[in-house]
Amino acid sequence: MAGKAAAPGTAVLLVTANVGSLFDDPENLQKNWLREFYQIVHTHRPHFMALHCQEFGGKNYEASMSHVDKFVKELLSSDAMKEYNRARVYLDENYKSQEHFTALGSFYFLHESLKNIYQFDFKAKKYKKVTGKEIYSDTLESTPMLEKEKFPQDYFPECKWSRKGFVRTRWCVADCAFDLVNIHLFHDASNLVAWETSPSVYSGIRHKALGYVLDRIIDQRFEKVSYFVFGDFNFRLDSKSVVETLCTKATMQTVRAADTNEVVKLIFRESDNDRKVMLQLEKKLFDYSHQEVFRDNNGTALLEFDKELSVFKDRLYELDISFPPSYPYSEDCSQGQQYMNTRCPAWCDRVLMSPSAKELILRMGTLRLEGSQRTARE
């Protein structure tokens, strides 16, 4: 997903992507992804560009280190990026630290025509001029040019080793200061649990984590500036409401485990039409027979069930969504427009902004969002 802010004389492009699967199949997925990314850069021709990646390096980071290095070198040296003569790259590669590892990667590119760009030093509490290209990795906690935190384990006790957290940087472009926050929130661990209540228990966990991030951004340690928060929020459609709407005329069959009597599967069948199966729901299965409802007209018929941001209606804004659900697309390149049947498709990847950032956008230009596919990585 990308958002473009076009200020007089300065075009800013914000891009977010959960790239975990790229490192599992670098020869195919990574090449295709980079080609699409370069096309976005060519189309928008931004002066300042931010790329926020989540699950950078994939699930097996240690095994993917060579692919990570190749990916970074490709981005920094590609002909498509040759006009960007300054760059900052921040990679959380400290995968051996369960306490700190977030698998976040943040890339910032500055066009050669852009003058006098500054980045904030959070330790010295002053701005420093950006020159050259620099890469920071491994232990980002000691890097003064950013703030990074991993969410506490008790935020999501179901996950033994969560890699969710955020990284914050601050910039001054054309005398305008703003924060850019790369974020990855918690996923739905079970479709069945998500279906039980409205809103789901997982929605509440995400609200708690996002609220924590927003409080950190506006606390008293530093001067308040406009901010953009973009990344993988893992926002999901309200599962109970979606299922009830999609299966209005269906009957439900409950399948329980013989030994525990626990619900392990729900089967929704049409009342007529030979009782054809419409939807099968398991912990990690969401198999709906009419998948086109999520793609037709960019899935706008289901936007009414996208409710998680409403809790922050006075603190966060976004422009109209004009792209189909960004997750979970197939990892098979030959079926790139198909959703996997693991989860209900949803707009997980977003570009959000503070009230003052929204006013800045409205005053100085427009912000456009473009859909970007994401696979089943959580």
Side-chain angles (χ1 to χ4, degrees), residues 124-255:
K125 296 187 177 182
K126 64 180 182 180
Y127 287 94
K128 295 182 177 180
K129 190 171 183 177
V130 180
T131 60
K133 297 181 180 180
E134 298 177 0
I135 301 174
Y136 298 85
S137 60
D138 196 20
T139 306
L140 295 183
E141 285 76 19
S142 60
T143 305
M145 309 308 290
L146 58 79
E147 284 196 317
K148 175 202 145 191
E149 286 191 51
K150 177 180 174 179
F151 297 119
Q153 182 65 45
D154 60 5
Y155 272 40
F156 196 46
E158 287 188 45
C159 190
K160 294 181 180 180
W161 188 30
S162 168
R163 303 196 290 191
K164 307 301 192 289
F166 70 96
V167 171
R168 169 197 190 187
T169 57
R170 176 170 292 189
W171 304 84
C172 185
V173 179
D175 295 323
C176 178
F178 53 87
D179 283 349
L180 300 179
V181 182
N182 186 355
I183 191 169
H184 194 184
L185 297 183
F186 302 97
H187 61 277
D188 283 11
S190 168
N191 292 324
L192 293 170
V193 173
W195 176 83
E196 290 175 353
T197 60
S198 175
S200 77
V201 62
Y202 304 119
S203 175
I205 294 171
R206 287 187 284 272
H207 292 164
K208 180 180 179 180
L210 181 53
Y212 175 81
V213 174
L214 297 182
D215 290 342
R216 289 287 287 170
I217 292 173
I218 63 173
D219 63 20
Q220 302 301 314
R221 295 171 300 141
F222 307 102
E223 178 185 1
K224 294 180 182 180
V225 299
S226 300
Y227 56 84
F228 295 86
V229 186
F230 52 111
D232 180 4
F233 293 84
N234 262 313
F235 287 165
R236 306 301 171 98
L237 303 185
D238 186 84
S239 184
K240 193 168 187 65
S241 300
V242 169
V243 171
E244 289 175 352
T245 299
L246 296 178
C247 304
T248 302
K249 298 181 179 180
T251 57
M252 185 181 76
Q253 175 188 351
T254 302
V255 180

Side-chain angles (χ1 to χ4, degrees), residues 4 10 70 102 111 139 143 145 147 158 205 283 331:
K4 183 185 179 186
T10 305
K70 184 178 179 180
T102 63
H111 194 271
T139 306
T143 305
M145 309 308 290
E147 284 196 317
E158 287 188 45
I205 294 171
K283 181 178 181 178
E331 297 179 11

Side-chain angles (χ1 to χ4, degrees), residues 1-4 13-16 40 44 351 368-372:
M1 181 189 308
K4 183 185 179 186
L13 181 68
L14 308 179
V15 181
T16 180
I40 290 175
H44 294 296
V351 179
R368 287 172 27 207
L369 300 181
E370 296 188 354
S372 169

Side-chain angles (χ1 to χ4, degrees), residues 273-285:
N273 195 22
D274 296 326
R275 294 185 53 76
K276 181 181 178 181
V277 174
M278 296 180 64
L279 171 67
Q280 297 185 75
L281 201 65
E282 297 178 12
K283 181 178 181 178
K284 293 188 177 182
L285 176 73

